Amino acid sequence: VTFLGGFFGLELPAAHACGLASFWKLPGNPALTFANGRSALAALLASVRPPRLWLPSYICRSVAEAASATATPVSYFPVDESLQPDTSWLESGARPGEMVLAVDYFGRAPGREFLDFANERQDLLFVEDACQAVDTGAAPWGRWCLRSPRKLVGVPDGGFVVPADGIAEGGWSVLEPQMDVYRAACLRFEDEEERANGLWHEANQRREARETVSTRRMSRLSRELLARLDVAPIADRRRANYRTLAGVLGDTMFLRDANPAFVPLGFPVRLPAARRDHVRGALIAQGIFPALHWTDVPSAATFGAAHVLAAELLTLPCDQRYQPFEMERMARTLVEILNR
Ligand SMILES: Cc1ncc(COP(=O)(O)O)c(C=O)c1O
């Protein structure tokens, strides 16, 4: 039956062709979308069943969770202090049929050496982890691309791999989205003056801590919003904000690229480990909330560079919510804290 009448659900304006959903090739079938990125990766692992998953030493724990949820053996390969994968390690360690995941860190694709390696080793199954990338400005380099939109735009949930046909029907998402995925996002959305920071921040922390690998699907609200969020203004604003930060913070800039062709996740700065958390606290005291990527890297401590970076990087926001003048002010605040 089709009902006529009754109350309205949510009504959204029409979708358009240049939205993030089409740009990212969001699968049309909701059963091929998941509540988060780790679940999408787990579904891929469960279908492809690679004998091993290679992960970069610098990675967030949720990616490793996808492997443990599917009992996929994991090995790590090193990245250096500029986040470039060690291809000779993979060259000598990876066997045909194994899966290799590498990350477009902060939105930027890996360098030429790794891309050549991925191109040459057709016997390996490469996954491009684009969870931090709106648009790398470069060609896709993996057999699959992994996405987790909530890190980049204001949608409450979601994760998918493209192409999604690698996921067998037995691994499709069968559970309804949980209503509490909306809670933190809606609390913040409704609090227009941003007076109840404690409330929505805590709701989000609790919700993130509960994220797990599941066969729950991405909410329809997230899918529909992605179809309506235009790529170009998001990309332009992020790049403009980043350039503004680079203009002031050239000395502490981590990515050494003041005018990026990629769309940046944020603006990472590198500080001595002994000062990083103090600086973060001082920024928070002024209402600036930088992110840590990541606090609990799952690779062994012997992968030195990854753990050094985890202790020294701090990511300033430069996303589409902000304008260059706000970036200028944030950068000056950071300089002032660093000069204290
Ligand atoms: C690079 C990267 N890949 C994958 C993920 C997993 O995403 P999700 O939290 O949606 O499972 C994250 C999460 O932080 C990430 O940073």
Side-chain angles (χ1 to χ4, degrees):
V1 290
T2 308
F3 296 116
L4 300 177
F7 79 98
F8 287 88
L10 293 174
E11 182 167 345
L12 299 168
H16 53 88
C18 41
L20 279 170
S22 54
F23 189 71
W24 285 342
K25 301 186 172 64
L26 173 72
N29 181 354
L32 291 167
T33 67
F34 295 83
N36 51 33
R38 71 200 83 175
S39 299
L41 178 62
L44 181 68
L45 287 168
S47 293
V48 175
R49 286 264 151 237
R52 178 164 303 279
L53 174 65
W54 289 86
L55 294 178
S57 54
Y58 192 60
I59 189 71
C60 69
R61 189 166 291 278
S62 55
V63 173
E65 264 173 44
S68 50
T70 53
T72 309
V74 171
S75 292
Y76 289 91
F77 60 91
V79 296
D80 66 17
E81 290 196 17
S82 58
L83 292 175
Q84 294 307 316
D86 183 339
T87 51
S88 53
W89 185 292
L90 284 168
E91 186 63 61
S92 56
R95 300 279 160 264
E98 294 182 340
M99 193 179 273
V100 178
L101 178 143
V103 180
D104 297 325
Y105 292 110
F106 301 105
R108 183 171 69 178
R112 179 50 46 203
E113 192 184 332
F114 180 80
L115 298 185
D116 287 345
F117 175 75
N119 193 39
E120 280 157 23
R121 291 296 303 269
Q122 298 290 326
D123 59 318
L124 297 174
L125 300 171
F126 287 92
V127 175
E128 174 176 8
D129 182 335
C131 292
Q132 297 190 332
V134 173
D135 177 8
T136 61
W141 54 262
R143 168 83 179 73
W144 293 283
C145 180
L146 174 66
R147 300 215 174 258
S148 172
R150 75 181 188 285
K151 317 285 169 46
L152 296 162
V153 290
V155 298
D157 68 340
F160 56 94
V161 292
V162 291
D165 58 8
I167 299 175
E169 200 164 335
W172 290 6
S173 55
V174 288
L175 301 173
E176 303 278 320
Q178 279 172 316
M179 282 299 128
D180 39 314
V181 304
Y182 299 125
R183 197 177 132 76
C186 288
L187 283 172
R188 186 166 192 179
F189 180 74
E190 292 299 337
D191 180 20
E192 240 175 308
E193 314 268 310
E194 303 236 301
R195 292 215 178 103
N197 171 302
L199 182 69
W200 37 258
H201 174 63
E202 201 220 335
N204 189 56
Q205 295 284 96
R206 251 188 293 124
R207 170 260 153 102
E208 284 292 336
R210 277 201 307 266
E211 288 292 314
T212 52
V213 171
S214 76
T215 53
R216 210 168 282 288
R217 57 168 198 271
M218 180 178 183
S219 67
R220 180 176 169 215
L221 182 61
S222 292
R223 282 192 293 123
E224 296 290 341
L225 288 173
L226 287 182
R228 286 158 180 80
L229 289 167
D230 203 349
V231 186
I234 291 171
D236 292 349
R237 184 68 73 74
R238 283 176 175 267
R239 289 198 188 99
N241 285 342
Y242 185 101
R243 285 194 300 268
T244 303
L245 292 172
V248 184
L249 299 171
D251 295 344
T252 45
M253 170 167 67
F254 174 66
L255 295 174
R256 314 314 309 171
D257 186 351
N259 188 16
F262 63 95
V263 178
L265 168 76
F267 185 90
V269 296
R270 188 170 175 182
L271 303 168
R275 294 198 70 198
R276 197 267 311 260
D277 294 334
H278 166 77
V279 170
R280 179 160 179 263
L283 285 167
I284 290 173
Q286 306 222 30
I288 297 166
F289 295 87
L292 296 178
H293 298 103
W294 291 275
T295 49
D296 61 344
V297 174
S299 61
T302 47
F303 291 100
H307 293 271
V308 166
L309 292 175
E312 297 189 352
L313 291 183
L314 194 61
T315 310
L316 300 174
C318 71
D319 59 74
Q320 61 276 8
R321 291 171 290 182
Y322 310 112
Q323 302 203 37
F325 82 88
E326 293 166 295
M327 299 293 100
E328 186 84 29
R329 197 172 60 203
M330 176 170 66
R332 301 268 168 234
T333 303
L334 176 59
V335 169
E336 191 260 312
I337 291 167
L338 292 175
N339 288 339
R340 270 180 203 165

